[in-house]
Every structure is written in C-alpha cells, then in structure tokens.
Amino acid sequence: MTPLNINEIRSLKYARQYFHDCYLVSSLHAFAQSANGVKMLQKNIVRDGDFYNIRFAGLGKSFSVSQDDFAKMEFIDRYCNPKPPKEPYNPLLQAVEIAMGKLISAFPTKKAITCRLARCRENFEYNYPSNFMELFTDKKPYALNERSLSMKLSSKKDKVMDLFEKLGKSTTGDSFVVGTGLKVFGKLPDCHVFVLKKVDLKNGRIYILDNREKKIISLSLKDAFENLKFITGYFNSDLK
C-alpha cells in the first residue's frame, strides 16, 4: 500500500459535496486543516495501484474500494435527480464515501435510526458527524448540542463561548464542524453541516464553509447562536 502525500490529503479541503453527506465531506475537510488530522487521514487512507483501502479505526476494520466501485456511483442533485459533477470528482472523497457505504451495509446500526429513515440512494448519505468522526479516528469527539432537541446553540451559550475562546486563540489548526437543525425561519439551510474555519471574537464573528456551494459564510455571534444547532470536532492535540 502506498501512503498518500500531504498535498493529496489536503485536496480534501477543496472537494465539493454532491450527495446528502455534508457530515462526511465537512468532517474530512476539517481533518485536513489540522496537522494531526492530516496524519490521521494519511494513516487511514492508503492506495495500492487502482485500489484504495479505507480504515475505520473505531471499528477496527478496513474496506477496499476498486475502480468498479467508483463506476457504480450515481451522482445526484439535492433533489435526488441524476447530475454529473461539473469538475473532476475528488478520488479520496469518493473512496471514503464508498467505504462508508460498505460499512453501513455491514453494520446498519452505525447510522442513527432517524438518519436511516431519510430518503437516499447511497448508504453513506445522512449521518451525525460524531458517528463518522469516532468511527474514523477511534477517538470520541467533542460534541455540543448535536443530539439535543434544542435547535439553537443559544441554549448552550456559556459552553459555546468557552469553546470559541479556545478556538480563537488556537494557532495549530483544529478540526471542528457546525450544523443546523430544523427552523421555520433561518438564515442557513436546515440540517446541514459546515466546516468551522475561523473564530474571530475580536470582531464578534465566526466563518464557516458550505462544501455544497463552496463558499465561506460570515456570521455574527448572535446569528451563530440563533441559526446553528451544534458544534462537533477535535482540537489538534486530541488527534495525536
């Protein structure tokens, strides 16, 4: 098996989401923006010729992905209509998606029952970021309000601010994602996961990345508390 170089791994930061797997695409991007996250990705994604081998440390199992597996994937839009990607699809992302699909086929309970009820074409679609992160790393992530019935981070404001203070001062790069719940009136898409790119408390803002639209979104702290539901992830030191 051939280890992947850092540039290949960091290409995950530029991969676009096409399936209903924002939890997975955003988590991989988040790993790729921290030093120890990159090492984790290099350890768990390896290549042997045309085959990829994806290791899920939390399950103690690996899944092989062939070119035949790649060819079987059917690309769809957000409404489940066929839609070929406009740009070359990132092979590392595709390999992890396929491997995650194989994992869920073999171990259905690794996807929450509420996610199993959602309409999808691929087994890797719909899941909680914390499920994927722990399966991939064998390390329990920090998860704030992810499974709560509360749809607003404002319900955990003190804990959120403590976390933002730490992230705002961090200089090592960390691996966190944020997500929305269900809201009647909201400034962000419902039940969507974004990469947390930057916390700027001096100016009272955070910056998040939407991997489906490939755009950075700037939120005031007030809007973050009102429109985001959860934060999940790791500090760089957590992934040693």
Side-chain angles (χ1 to χ4, degrees), residues 78-231:
R78 67 181 65 191
Y79 306 108
C80 292
N81 298 310
K83 182 182 180 181
K86 294 179 180 179
E87 67 274 357
Y89 204 72
N90 187 292
L92 304 189
L93 170 59
Q94 193 170 2
V96 177
E97 288 175 330
I98 293 168
M100 188 64 180
K102 291 184 177 185
L103 185 157
I104 297 301
S105 293
F107 305 93
T109 58
K110 296 304 179 182
K111 180 189 284 194
I113 189 168
T114 52
C115 297
R116 279 179 266 157
L117 294 173
R119 178 191 176 201
C120 63
R121 290 192 179 185
E122 303 286 350
N123 281 334
F124 61 78
E125 295 185 284
Y126 299 109
N127 212 329
Y128 288 106
S130 60
N131 280 1
F132 173 72
M133 288 180 171
E134 189 166 1
L135 282 169
F136 195 74
T137 68
D138 195 27
K139 298 176 185 292
K140 193 173 184 65
Y142 179 92
L144 182 59
N145 212 48
E146 192 185 80
R147 308 292 179 102
S148 169
L149 293 177
S150 171
M151 294 293 154
K152 295 182 180 181
L153 270 179
S154 56
S155 64
K156 303 288 191 301
K157 188 172 182 178
D158 289 344
K159 290 184 178 180
V160 174
M161 287 305 299
D162 285 345
L163 179 60
F164 281 173
E165 287 278 357
K166 294 175 182 177
L167 289 171
K169 295 176 182 177
S170 176
T171 58
T172 59
D174 301 296
S175 302
F176 280 84
V177 300
V178 297
T180 55
L182 292 169
K183 286 176 64 65
V184 177
F185 299 105
K187 294 187 176 182
L188 298 171
D190 287 342
C191 300
H192 195 43
V193 182
F194 308 80
V195 185
L196 180 57
K197 297 295 294 180
K198 181 181 178 181
V199 175
D200 180 7
L201 291 185
K202 181 179 179 180
N203 293 300
R205 306 197 74 80
I206 68 168
Y207 297 85
I208 62 177
L209 173 71
D210 182 347
N211 281 298
R212 183 181 286 279
E213 302 297 333
K214 297 307 295 180
K215 68 177 182 180
I216 295 286
I217 299 169
S218 172
L219 294 174
S220 67
L221 292 181
K222 179 182 177 181
D223 282 343
F225 287 130
E226 291 297 312
N227 289 274
L228 296 175
K229 178 184 188 295
F230 66 84
I231 302 177

Side-chain angles (χ1 to χ4, degrees), residues 36 40 137 139-142 174-176 233-240:
N36 287 324
M40 181 70 67
T137 68
K139 298 176 185 292
K140 193 173 184 65
Y142 179 92
D174 301 296
S175 302
F176 280 84
Y234 306 92
F235 288 99
N236 184 54
S237 58
D238 297 333
L239 293 174
K240 286 184 178 179

Side-chain angles (χ1 to χ4, degrees), residues 18-65:
Y18 275 91
F19 295 91
H20 295 94
D21 64 340
C22 51
Y23 78 92
L24 187 153
V25 181
S26 293
S27 295
L28 290 176
H29 182 128
F31 288 141
Q33 65 185 15
S34 76
N36 287 324
V38 167
K39 292 177 183 177
M40 181 70 67
L41 290 165
Q42 286 181 303
K43 184 177 181 180
N44 289 350
I45 305 174
V46 294
R47 182 175 53 222
D48 185 8
D50 289 336
F51 287 82
Y52 286 87
N53 200 62
I54 311 301
R55 175 176 174 262
F56 291 90
L59 198 61
K61 292 188 177 294
S62 297
F63 294 87
S64 179
V65 177

